[in-house]
């Protein structure tokens, strides 16, 4: 648990280079934080190091330099302090919905029956009620993503790391999933750090958006999003939303920034 006033998630002077000839500089002096219960997005062009930041916070990658902490505890060399959802759903094809949903919680030490009881409570909210005995191959793309998110939410951790969870979905399904995630998070109240390259998605979901430069990734701007909740797809036409989007796009307009949505 974070001490009073301490951010739930904090990164300081984070830098990383991948070995090679020559080495590939991925991150340079990244500073960011998330207050307890906040929804924060990390936005930037492809290849800027967004996923690298999440891997460090998930304890899966030791950075070349800098600090990363969750609830005041260093994540460097300490996997398991967060619930982490990678870009692919990574569902196990030989486990039914109920088995995939509880896998992360069971690995984290939650008793199987306890995890399955909690999953049963959440199936309706995640749109999976009635599909508990289905195989992953029988699910639509949106349902697979909801299942992967349920697996993440069932992890007994207060911070969730989501790496482009809707990137593989079509535009219509993606918009629906954004609204659904906003609703689920609003009821859950945990801290979320979302990696995305979709500007509208970041602004619709987040309290704060950090904008990254091209590789080596740096934070070029921190943008608070003062839009009331709940937010809806129609909000993208609101004057304040348009102004915020213009600010984000201006931050992304650096040499070699690449494409964003």
């Amino acid at each position: 648990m974070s001490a009073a006033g301490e951010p739930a998630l904090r990164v300081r002077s984070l830098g990383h280079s991948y070995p090679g000839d020559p080495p590939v500089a991925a991150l340079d002096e990244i500073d960011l934080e998330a207050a307890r219960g906040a929804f924060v997005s990390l936005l930037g062009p492809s290849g800027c190091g967004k996923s690298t930041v999440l891997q460090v916070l998930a304890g899966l990658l030791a950075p070349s330099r800098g600090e990363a902490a969750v609830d005041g505890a260093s994540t460097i060399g300490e996997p398991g302090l967060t619930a982490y959802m990678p870009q692919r759903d990574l569902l196990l094809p030989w486990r039914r919905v109920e088995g995939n949903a509880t896998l992360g919680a069971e690995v984290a030490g939650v008793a199987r029956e306890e995890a399955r009881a909690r999953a049963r409570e959440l199936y309706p909210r995640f749109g999976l009620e009635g599909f508990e005995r289905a195989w992953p191959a029988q699910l639509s793309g949106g349902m697979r993503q909801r299942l992967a998110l349920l697996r993440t939410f069932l992890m007994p951790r207060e911070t969730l790391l989501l790496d482009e969870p809707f990137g593989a979905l079509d535009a219509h399904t993606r918009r629906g999933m954004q609204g659904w995630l906003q609703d689920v998070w609003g009821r859950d109240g945990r801290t979320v750090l979302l990696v995305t390259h979709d500007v509208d998605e970041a602004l619709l979901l987040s309290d704060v958006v950090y904008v990254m430069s091209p590789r080596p990734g740096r934070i070029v701007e921190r943008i608070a999003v003062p839009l009331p909740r709940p937010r809806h797809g129609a909000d993208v036409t609101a004057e304040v939303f348009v102004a915020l989007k213009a600010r984000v796009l201006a931050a992304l307009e650096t040499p070699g920034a690449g494409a964003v949505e």
Side-chain angles (χ1 to χ4, degrees):
M1 218 35 147
S2 296
E6 182 182 357
L9 178 157
R10 179 182 303 211
V11 169
R12 288 289 179 266
S13 303
L14 191 67
H16 188 67
S17 295
Y18 289 100
D21 187 18
V24 177
L27 300 174
D28 184 27
E29 297 298 315
I30 295 289
D31 291 318
L32 63 84
E33 63 182 42
R36 177 163 296 280
F39 198 119
V40 176
S41 284
L42 192 56
L43 177 74
S46 297
C48 72
K50 302 185 297 295
S51 295
T52 300
V53 174
L54 255 60
Q55 289 168 15
V56 171
L57 285 166
L60 302 176
L61 176 68
S64 303
R65 58 191 179 279
E67 303 174 355
V70 171
D71 292 338
S74 175
T75 67
I76 297 174
E78 293 292 337
L81 298 180
T82 65
Y84 170 56
M85 179 179 171
Q87 289 183 20
R88 297 175 58 197
D89 60 55
L90 300 180
L91 301 178
L92 300 181
W94 59 87
R95 292 185 68 137
R96 298 180 189 271
V97 164
E98 61 183 2
N100 271 289
T102 61
L103 179 60
E106 291 175 41
V107 170
V110 179
R112 174 175 294 186
E113 286 310 310
E114 180 183 346
R116 292 196 172 187
R118 178 60 176 152
R120 284 192 292 271
E121 295 175 1
L122 293 176
Y123 286 138
R125 190 187 305 177
F126 280 73
L128 295 168
E129 189 173 26
F131 290 88
E132 296 89 338
R133 300 292 295 166
W135 299 103
Q138 296 173 303
L139 304 180
S140 68
M143 292 179 73
R144 290 178 65 97
Q145 293 303 104
R146 289 198 296 273
L147 175 54
L149 276 163
L150 174 57
R151 180 183 59 200
T152 306
F153 270 74
L154 285 171
M155 287 281 291
R157 301 293 181 264
E158 291 300 317
T159 299
L160 311 182
L161 308 176
L162 308 179
D163 194 351
E164 298 201 49
F166 310 138
L169 302 179
D170 63 83
H172 177 73
T173 303
R174 183 170 185 156
R175 293 305 180 216
M177 291 289 288
Q178 290 164 2
W180 167 84
L181 176 58
Q182 181 183 192
D183 178 65
V184 170
W185 165 77
R187 301 184 193 190
D188 185 82
R190 282 187 278 183
T191 308
V192 174
L193 179 60
L194 170 76
V195 157
T196 182
H197 62 274
D198 184 323
V199 177
D200 287 357
E201 180 169 271
L203 292 174
L204 278 172
L205 294 174
S206 305
D207 300 307
V208 174
V209 175
Y210 285 92
V211 183
M212 289 183 67
S213 72
R215 188 174 62 227
R218 303 178 180 90
I219 301 297
V220 295
E221 192 156 5
R222 176 189 183 278
I223 299 173
V225 185
L227 296 170
R229 295 185 185 274
R231 300 172 189 167
H232 307 283
D235 291 338
V236 300
T237 61
E239 184 176 349
V240 63
F241 190 98
V242 173
L244 286 167
K245 185 171 182 177
R247 185 177 169 191
V248 171
L249 292 173
L252 287 164
E253 287 179 357
T254 55
V260 294
E261 295 179 6

